[in-house]
Amino acid sequence: MILFEDIQRYIDKLNYLSKVEDEDVLKPMEEFAQKVGFPIVGRSVGRFLYIITKLKNPKLIVEVGSGYGYSAYWFAKAIGNGKVVLTDYNQDNLDKARNFLSKAGLIEKVEIRLGNGVEIAKDYKNIDILFFDHEKAKYLDSILMLKDNLNSGGIVIADNTLWHGKVLEEAPDRQTKKIKEFNEYMFSSPEFFTTLIPLRDGLIVAIKF
Amino acid sequence: MILFEDIQRYIDKLNYLSKVEDEDVLKPMEEFAQKVGFPIVGRSVGRFLYIITKLKNPKLIVEVGSGYGYSAYWFAKAIGNGKVVLTDYNQDNLDKARNFLSKAGLIEKVEIRLGNGVEIAKDYKNIDILFFDHEKAKYLDSILMLKDNLNSGGIVIADNTLWHGKVLEEAPDRQTKKIKEFNEYMFSSPEFFTTLIPLRDGLIVAIKF
């Protein structure tokens, strides 16, 4: 448990007071997540990604782990003259992403690539925002492999860093241990200035110096 | 209750893994808050303000309600070629702020003004970040009075917008009602894109279109 449920509900209610242009795309994406239990970041985190993107004004965003494009929607909606790279192992997810992002008129803002997101990310040398939402046990290795591909002043955003509160357990499982190591690395590394935002399942937001 | 206490403790522990230059200024500010019960935003929110400021790269930040300068420290530390305006009713608070910010070598980044923060903020026409931490019942009137002083793309950050969880009460007091009205205004206004971040006591972060 992270946030008291009633607080989350209050924030969610506020989120839906805000008119967004693409409710006819977002609602089906959210309903599909609910129906099949797909772990999307949800409206609160999505809106936060939008704000971070507007502030950063990035040329290049790379997502490691895009699912069917829910986070990519918010990045692409906010990006000006730039590109969002989506990656996923699953062709069906990516087909859905292409479909949703087309409907939202955002397909020209994105590049959709099948395969290992970390390997794909290595192809890009000047990343402004790097988004992690892949296998949690791989976050630490992934940032070590990719940090030199981030521009100075670039942003790392990593989802699920509170891992349903499991980071508090006295005898955490291997995956949880690896997430804790990732968090500790991000906060103690002199290469990053890091915060952990308790939105939904916990979001690391860090700036590379 | 907003965040589970153990989660807050976990995030705090991570915060202190991060070496910051001015621990000899920050620690005394935090200890003083603890000693006298002064409501500062704390390390998590402070670090978040730092990141937002780095991303925004503002010329002008105006604080409505600065206390003795804890939030101003983080703004001033992050600001490049710009200025942070501190306001407070209490001369003693502002003297402390001047002292702390001098010690941190940040005094040339700030302007310190005694009086009604909203009235003072009206003097500035091109605000990039407007920070609210004054009387909670006045947030709504204040944003209505000041929104035209914000640049397009400017940011509003308002502290205490979950008000110790009181926003959930069935029969909220007047102050809580006014905070709820402020939150609803910020989310439903077509002039802003708004999020509520459940850091500490709840932070509204909004971009003016």
Side-chain angles (χ1 to χ4, degrees), chain A residues 75-180:
Chain A
F75 283 128
K77 188 73 187 173
I79 208 167
N81 189 20
K83 181 173 72 170
V84 185
V85 178
L86 284 76
T87 67
D88 206 273
Y89 276 117
N90 184 312
Q91 184 65 56
D92 186 47
N93 283 343
L94 293 178
D95 289 344
K96 281 196 178 64
R98 185 178 301 281
N99 183 30
F100 283 126
L101 294 167
S102 296
K103 267 193 197 152
L106 296 171
I107 202 71
E108 273 155 43
K109 303 271 182 199
V110 303
E111 193 178 305
I112 298 180
R113 294 187 57 182
L114 181 72
N116 179 315
V118 176
E119 291 303 321
I120 294 168
K122 279 189 198 160
D123 293 346
Y124 301 88
K125 299 302 174 205
N126 295 294
I127 300 174
D128 296 306
I129 298 180
L130 178 63
F131 179 66
F132 279 179
D133 200 4
H134 55 306
E135 261 181 81
K136 309 312 156 192
K138 294 196 172 156
Y139 279 15
L140 180 55
D141 289 348
S142 304
I143 193 63
L144 293 173
M145 263 189 286
L146 292 174
K147 65 190 168 68
D148 293 339
N149 296 49
L150 260 175
N151 280 325
S152 159
I155 304 288
V156 178
I157 304 177
D159 194 29
N160 307 108
T161 55
L162 290 171
W163 204 224
H164 320 295
K166 286 208 234 176
V167 292
L168 302 174
E169 287 177 4
E170 275 187 39
D173 58 24
R174 182 179 160 276
Q175 202 173 27
T176 308
K177 265 187 207 156
K178 294 298 283 182
I179 293 172
K180 290 176 73 169

Side-chain angles (χ1 to χ4, degrees), chain A residues 1-2 4 6 10 14-15 18 47-48 50-51 54-55 155 168 183 187 193-194 197-198 205 207, chain B residues 1-2 4 6-7 10 14-15 18 47-48 50-51 54-55 155 168 183 187 193-194 197-198 205 207:
Chain A
M1 299 292 280
I2 294 163
F4 282 87
D6 288 349
Y10 176 71
L14 288 172
N15 284 332
S18 173
R47 293 176 65 87
F48 181 70
Y50 180 96
I51 283 199
K54 280 287 180 199
L55 285 171
I155 304 288
L168 302 174
N183 291 343
F187 274 87
F193 185 96
T194 301
I197 311 294
V205 179
I207 297 192
Chain B
M1 299 293 281
I2 295 162
F4 281 87
D6 288 349
I7 292 286
Y10 176 72
L14 289 171
N15 284 331
S18 172
R47 292 176 67 86
F48 181 70
Y50 179 96
I51 283 199
K54 280 287 181 201
L55 286 171
I155 303 289
L168 302 173
N183 291 344
F187 274 87
F193 186 96
T194 301
I197 311 294
V205 179
I207 297 192

